[in-house]
Amino acid sequence: MAISDNLRGAIYMNLSMFAFTVNDTIMKSLTQSLPLYQTIALRGVVAVLGLLILARARGGLHLPKLPADRAVIALRSLVDVAATILFLTALKHMPLATLSAVMQVTPLAVTLAAALYYKDKIGWRRMLAITIGFFGVMLIIRPGMAGFSIWSVLGLGSVATVVVRDLSVRRLTGNVPSMVVALGAGFAVMVMGLIGSVLEGWQAVSPLQILQLLGAGGMVIVGYICSVSAMRVGDIGFVAPFRYTSLLWAIILGWVFFATFPDTWSLIGAAIVVATGIYTLLRERKLRQQARRPA
């Protein structure tokens, strides 16, 4: 039986979120025994080689001709380096599900930042949803309480850098291949890992750790391919809310592999963030549909 494009897009998005969360789980496990920057560098080598092979299979890479596009890719790659450092440092010390719950506020933050920087119009409903969503994040990290730490701040910093990274893509012209953008970021992160490992130190890698690194790099590639496929196959307004399945996977994998489970307040905060994020995405979809209707 044939399935609709939206259903295919939803399946791709679920697979993407599962792959990225598995990668996070493996990286959290590896950074408990390997130096952080060495882990980033080795995973980066796997991911970049995989993306290069994939690009060659699809007909090679075509670097952007416009200097403005090259500048945007360079900026995005540098911001991705900062996002990776902040996220993985926080992940090393925070429960997987807690950090994942904090990261769910990213779509709300992107909507707010686009309104402030690009002057996108947002009505009072979406503004209220964004405000409530940020309140949900405060319930998760609870500033001033015993569970709050510098790692929570790094998690929020990672959200901020991801917002800058995602908004920078708007300045790219339409003929820039997504693979070029992904490779630019992957190469920059790999180089950052190699430089950091020189300062941090390097240690021998066991066969099991090599398999884990291969798995993490493979999951990054699968996640990237599926996320791009999801956006190209289905309606964005229908597919995008399935990003929040990453929180479900993070709760399950965190419980199975690290014996951690979010407390009641974190679950309530996460539910608020997810609900307001889904509402904002659906509201944006409705407004786009209304704008396309003939007067």
Side-chain angles (χ1 to χ4, degrees):
M1 182 178 66
I3 62 176
S4 67
D5 287 342
N6 277 345
L7 181 55
R8 256 205 330 272
I11 293 171
Y12 278 133
M13 183 57 75
N14 276 286
L15 289 174
S16 171
M17 294 301 101
F18 174 73
F20 282 132
T21 310
V22 170
N23 162 73
D24 294 341
T25 304
I26 295 173
M27 291 297 287
K28 181 174 178 60
S29 175
L30 282 169
T31 54
Q32 306 305 309
S33 55
L34 284 179
L36 175 64
Y37 287 97
Q38 178 184 352
T39 307
I40 293 172
L42 291 174
R43 185 196 63 172
V45 170
V46 175
V48 168
L49 287 177
L51 287 171
L52 284 172
I53 293 171
L54 185 62
R56 184 174 179 82
R58 290 186 173 184
L61 289 171
H62 304 285
L63 298 178
K65 298 179 181 179
L66 295 176
D69 284 338
R70 292 198 291 268
V72 170
I73 291 175
L75 172 63
R76 186 190 183 281
S77 299
L78 290 175
V79 175
D80 213 12
V81 167
T84 300
I85 294 173
L86 291 170
F87 178 82
L88 290 179
T89 304
L91 181 63
K92 181 177 180 178
H93 298 91
M94 289 178 68
L96 176 63
T98 301
L99 181 56
S100 178
V102 171
M103 297 301 295
Q104 304 309 311
V105 80
T106 302
L108 296 173
V110 169
T111 301
L112 179 60
L116 295 174
Y117 188 77
Y118 288 111
K119 307 302 180 184
D120 288 0
K121 293 182 179 179
I122 56 174
W124 68 269
R125 293 179 182 86
R126 282 188 290 170
M127 193 66 230
L128 179 61
I130 290 170
T131 303
I132 295 173
F134 281 112
F135 171 73
V137 173
M138 293 301 104
L139 285 180
I140 297 169
I141 63 176
R142 296 190 290 282
M145 304 295 286
F148 183 75
S149 67
I150 185 62
W151 314 121
S152 303
V153 177
L154 293 185
L156 291 174
S158 179
V159 171
T161 51
V162 170
V163 169
V164 175
R165 182 195 70 188
D166 289 353
L167 289 182
S168 67
V169 179
R170 282 197 179 193
R171 296 185 177 274
L172 288 174
T173 56
N175 59 352
V176 177
S178 300
M179 189 68 70
V180 172
V181 180
L183 266 172
F187 183 77
V189 171
M190 179 188 70
V191 171
M192 176 273 296
L194 291 171
I195 294 173
S197 64
V198 172
L199 302 174
E200 189 181 32
W202 195 277
Q203 70 181 54
V205 182
S206 70
L208 175 60
Q209 290 169 333
I210 291 175
L211 290 176
Q212 288 177 301
L213 288 164
L214 291 172
M219 287 296 104
V220 168
I221 296 170
V222 171
Y224 165 73
I225 294 172
C226 289
S227 65
V228 172
S229 299
M231 291 294 110
R232 290 182 171 176
V233 170
D235 176 67
I236 293 177
F238 179 85
V239 171
F242 288 93
R243 289 181 182 274
Y244 292 104
T245 57
S246 63
L247 178 58
L248 176 62
W249 292 121
I251 291 173
I252 293 172
L253 294 175
W255 176 60
V256 171
F257 290 100
F258 306 109
T260 58
F261 197 84
D263 60 23
T264 302
W265 285 112
S266 294
L267 289 173
I268 293 172
I272 291 173
V273 172
V274 170
T276 53
I278 291 175
Y279 172 81
T280 302
L281 291 170
L282 294 178
R283 181 67 182 168
E284 289 175 357
R285 180 192 184 195
K286 182 179 180 180
L287 292 175
R288 282 196 301 269
Q289 290 174 339
Q290 290 176 345
R292 287 197 295 264
R293 291 174 187 168

